[in-house]
Amino acid sequence: MTRQKIQIKKIDNIAARQVTFSKRRRGLFKKSLELSTLCDAEIALLVFSNTGKLFEYSSTSTRQVIERRNLQSERIDRLNSIPSLELQLQSSTCAMLSKEIAEKTSELRRLRGEELHGLDLEELKELEKLLEGGLNRVSQTKDERFFKEINTLKMKGAELIEENHQLKQKMENSSHVKAQHQRPPTMHGEPLALTSLSDWGYLTLTECRKVRDDDAKKCSSSSSSPCIILLLTSVCIIIFINNLWPVIQLVPE
């Protein structure tokens, strides 16, 4: 049969209660002995029965364990009552920082024109000088920034003007070269009007062909040989080339 679990409550039967007390007391003392032996612990037990009888167990001495316990309690109470040095330093630092923050906040509000009712005449004059000095420094810094921006813009403007001048010069050089290529031929410093070769006293290709045809008719009417016609054609071509060669030399490359 399995062992039944005992309900933890007061035992009403006095005899059963006494028997249970004796068994549990001996078991408790046995466990204390084992704990002291195995773990080298210093243990003291004090047990009073319902009749007021004292039962005690100690691994060394009950009085010694009790005194040690009292000393430990006093030491803990002393440490709790006296704050540590680190805590004192932290507290003083926190108080100093809080005071400094309050002073700086009050000074900032006064600089903004707030909370001036508690200042006397000398403090107001000093505050006025402080504000004037700060305003002068702000104005000086602003003027320096303005001058710096103006100088930067001037330098950029000069660079753009120089670049524009260089581009304009390149365009003028390009136009001059183009004009030289397109300029008509000149003779004795005056331009020549290339209207027609006949204006210059030279025969054109049409006129050469006309001369050739007239010569061919004359040759055919006189029953000349075809070789004469070929000869006349070659002569007309040579005449045309000789007439055109001076004009080709006048045209610029």
Side-chain angles (χ1 to χ4, degrees):
M1 295 179 63
T2 59
R3 185 176 180 180
Q4 295 181 356
K5 186 176 181 180
I6 300 175
Q7 188 178 3
I8 304 300
K9 67 177 183 178
K10 184 179 178 180
I11 300 174
D12 296 331
N13 191 345
I14 298 175
R17 185 193 308 164
Q18 186 65 30
V19 172
T20 303
F21 174 77
S22 298
K23 290 181 179 180
R24 294 296 178 98
R25 176 177 53 79
R26 286 195 297 269
L28 179 61
F29 286 173
K30 183 178 180 181
K31 293 294 182 182
S32 300
L33 176 61
E34 293 176 357
L35 178 62
S36 174
T37 303
L38 294 175
C39 302
D40 193 20
E42 190 174 2
I43 300 173
L45 291 177
L46 296 176
V47 180
F48 288 91
S49 65
N50 59 349
T51 59
K53 187 176 180 179
L54 174 64
F55 299 90
E56 62 177 336
Y57 168 79
S58 175
S59 59
T60 56
S61 171
T62 304
R63 185 180 299 277
Q64 182 180 351
V65 174
I66 293 174
E67 290 178 355
R68 183 176 179 182
R69 190 265 175 196
N70 293 332
L71 291 175
Q72 186 70 18
S73 299
E74 292 177 358
R75 189 180 299 109
I76 293 174
D77 294 339
R78 191 181 302 109
L79 292 176
N80 292 333
S81 60
I82 301 175
S84 62
L85 180 61
E86 183 179 359
L87 184 60
Q88 291 179 357
L89 292 175
Q90 290 180 355
S91 300
S92 60
T93 304
C94 183
M96 182 176 62
L97 291 177
S98 300
K99 183 179 179 181
E100 186 176 357
I101 290 172
E103 292 177 355
K104 295 298 181 182
T105 303
S106 178
E107 183 179 357
L108 181 61
R109 289 178 179 176
R110 291 174 181 175
L111 290 175
R112 292 186 299 186
E114 301 175 359
E115 298 182 0
L116 301 178
H117 55 276
L119 300 178
D120 56 9
L121 185 59
E122 294 296 330
E123 292 177 346
L124 290 174
K125 289 181 179 180
E126 185 178 357
L127 181 61
E128 184 180 6
K129 291 181 180 179
L130 183 63
L131 291 173
E132 289 178 355
L135 183 59
N136 291 332
R137 287 192 295 271
V138 171
S139 300
Q140 184 178 0
T141 305
K142 183 184 67 175
D143 294 338
E144 291 177 356
R145 295 288 178 86
F146 279 152
F147 288 138
K148 186 176 180 180
E149 291 292 333
I150 291 173
N151 293 330
T152 303
L153 292 175
K154 286 182 178 180
M155 293 176 62
K156 289 183 178 179
E159 292 177 357
L160 291 175
I161 291 173
E162 181 66 22
E163 185 177 357
N164 188 17
H165 179 69
Q166 293 178 0
L167 291 174
K168 185 177 180 181
Q169 188 174 3
K170 289 181 180 179
M171 291 179 65
E172 290 178 354
N173 294 334
S174 178
S175 300
H176 182 67
V177 172
K178 189 175 180 181
Q180 286 181 353
H181 284 293
Q182 295 179 353
R183 186 174 59 185
T186 59
M187 182 176 290
H188 303 293
E190 295 182 358
L192 296 177
L194 297 177
T195 56
S196 64
L197 295 174
S198 61
D199 295 338
W200 293 350
Y202 301 119
L203 296 177
T204 61
L205 183 59
T206 304
E207 293 173 347
C208 290
R209 288 176 180 176
K210 186 176 180 181
V211 172
R212 184 197 63 183
D213 294 338
D214 293 339
D215 293 339
K217 289 179 181 181
K218 292 179 181 180
C219 291
S220 61
S221 62
S222 60
S223 301
S224 300
S225 176
C227 294
I228 298 176
I229 297 174
L230 181 60
L231 180 60
L232 291 173
T233 303
S234 301
V235 171
C236 290
I237 293 173
I238 293 172
I239 292 172
F240 176 75
I241 293 174
N242 290 330
N243 292 333
L244 187 61
W245 180 253
V247 179
I248 294 174
Q249 291 180 341
L250 293 175
V251 177
E253 296 180 356

